[in-house]
Amino acid sequence: MKTTLIITTYNWKEALEAVLKSVLRQSNLPDEVIIADDGSRTDTRELIQQFQLSFPIPLIHSWHEDNGFQLAKSRNRAIAKASGEYLIMIDGDIVLDKDFITSHKQSAKKNQFVQGGRVLVGPDFSKNIMAGSNPSIFSRDIRNRKNCISSTILSKLFSYIRNNDNATRGCNMAFWKSDVVEVNGFNQEFVGWGREDSEFVLRMLNCGKRRLYLKFAGVGYHLYHNENSRASLVENDALLERTINERLTRCEQGIDQFIGKNND
């Protein structure tokens, strides 16, 4: 099973650097890494180019012009480039436990996608992580400490099927590329923060895919940052309600814009 790790980012190279360093510490590397860049400045490009010089696996920079918050489009563009059968997707502020990729690979099953959790890191220790400190369950300035535990036995006991969009977090998910193509990827009608992850999950469920809620595995440390603007929530809530009411399985503006086409 070939795996692709997709990392979303936008103008926060310090966090992205910490994330890429945590990828290098993995006990089991993915087959490739794709940076889904929603229009970052040249300093992010330069950082990625530096890592590309010595990265042990392909490191691909998928970039489009900055035209506001277009996370769905950025993800679709990156997913279309992926050569992996199985895709693991994180945000560019999720620093990975060393067994993160291993955990997700062990959890992969046909007709199933995975929702992982996160450890919330406070502002002080987030700065330390970006300066080179490695987080652990013993670190100070973290919340929901139990989410630091990575255990194959506990994960098998406590992970469960949760076929709804509750506690959806696009910062730590995994799915088969073929399943994403089936629902036409993320809905690019979502512009601005909010609800695009839940809407994607509901279309996957409407297509008959099961959602595994992963516990005590796939550990990621979420660096502290200010919340995104909620200005688009009214419009985005309306898109979500349409998918709920009509039980949609595909979106009109999705990944088919990039699949099989020139996607530079």
Side-chain angles (χ1 to χ4, degrees), residues 29-60:
L29 286 170
D31 293 285
E32 67 180 1
V33 175
I34 302 179
I35 309 296
D37 190 341
D38 194 16
S40 296
R41 297 180 297 261
T42 56
D43 57 352
T44 293
R45 181 180 299 276
E46 291 166 357
L47 172 73
I48 294 168
Q49 289 173 341
Q50 283 298 115
F51 272 93
Q52 286 172 330
L53 295 174
S54 58
F55 220 68
I57 54 177
L59 176 60
I60 300 163

Side-chain angles (χ1 to χ4, degrees), residues 29-257:
L29 286 170
D31 293 285
E32 67 180 1
V33 175
I34 302 179
I35 309 296
D37 190 341
D38 194 16
S40 296
R41 297 180 297 261
T42 56
D43 57 352
T44 293
R45 181 180 299 276
E46 291 166 357
L47 172 73
I48 294 168
Q49 289 173 341
Q50 283 298 115
F51 272 93
Q52 286 172 330
L53 295 174
S54 58
F55 220 68
I57 54 177
L59 176 60
I60 300 163
H61 187 194
S62 175
W63 181 90
H64 62 206
E65 186 176 355
D66 186 358
N67 191 23
F69 188 101
Q70 293 185 302
L71 179 60
K73 186 176 183 178
S74 179
R75 285 170 169 171
N76 284 342
R77 185 186 293 273
I79 290 168
K81 294 177 186 287
S83 62
E85 308 158 62
Y86 197 66
L87 313 178
I88 304 166
M89 186 179 73
I90 62 170
D91 284 353
D93 54 11
I94 298 290
V95 175
L96 309 180
D97 173 79
K98 65 181 180 62
D99 293 321
F100 183 87
I101 298 296
T102 298
S103 295
H104 271 292
K105 290 182 72 171
Q106 289 174 342
S107 303
K109 290 183 180 179
K110 291 294 184 182
N111 295 313
Q112 178 176 285
F113 63 107
V114 175
Q115 173 65 69
R118 58 182 177 168
V119 180
L120 297 173
V121 182
D124 293 335
F125 192 53
S126 291
K127 293 176 183 177
N128 292 343
I129 291 173
M130 287 184 282
S133 297
N134 293 329
S136 75
I137 194 171
F138 304 108
S139 301
R140 295 184 178 181
D141 197 27
I142 62 174
R143 290 164 51 193
N144 54 352
R145 194 173 297 270
K146 66 180 186 302
N147 285 357
C148 298
I149 299 171
S150 181
S151 165
T152 301
I153 295 174
L154 290 178
S155 183
K156 287 181 178 179
L157 288 173
F158 290 98
S159 297
Y160 61 98
I161 298 299
R162 190 175 189 177
N163 288 336
N164 55 48
D165 67 322
N166 292 342
T168 294
R169 299 184 185 91
C171 64
N172 184 355
M173 295 181 73
F175 29 67
W176 298 93
K177 183 176 180 179
S178 58
D179 291 344
V180 177
V181 172
E182 183 179 348
V183 302
N184 204 20
F186 287 85
N187 188 346
Q188 293 171 195
E189 291 185 70
F190 284 89
V191 177
W193 183 91
R195 310 299 189 248
E196 66 277 351
D197 297 335
S198 291
E199 195 268 348
F200 169 78
V201 164
L202 289 172
R203 281 187 287 113
M204 290 279 274
L205 294 174
N206 290 343
C207 259
K209 317 303 177 188
R210 304 191 313 164
R211 183 173 80 137
L212 178 70
Y213 199 76
L214 191 63
K215 303 291 290 182
F216 302 117
V219 174
Y221 295 85
H222 192 180
L223 300 176
Y224 177 84
H225 59 81
N226 294 326
E227 291 188 345
N228 292 306
S229 169
R230 268 54 174 169
S232 300
L233 273 183
V234 173
E235 294 86 352
N236 290 359
D237 279 337
L239 291 171
L240 178 64
E241 284 300 312
R242 181 188 172 198
T243 295
I244 293 171
N245 295 334
E246 300 182 22
R247 293 193 57 80
L248 298 180
T249 58
R250 286 177 58 85
C251 59
E252 294 179 5
Q253 298 181 35
I255 199 170
D256 58 358
Q257 176 181 343

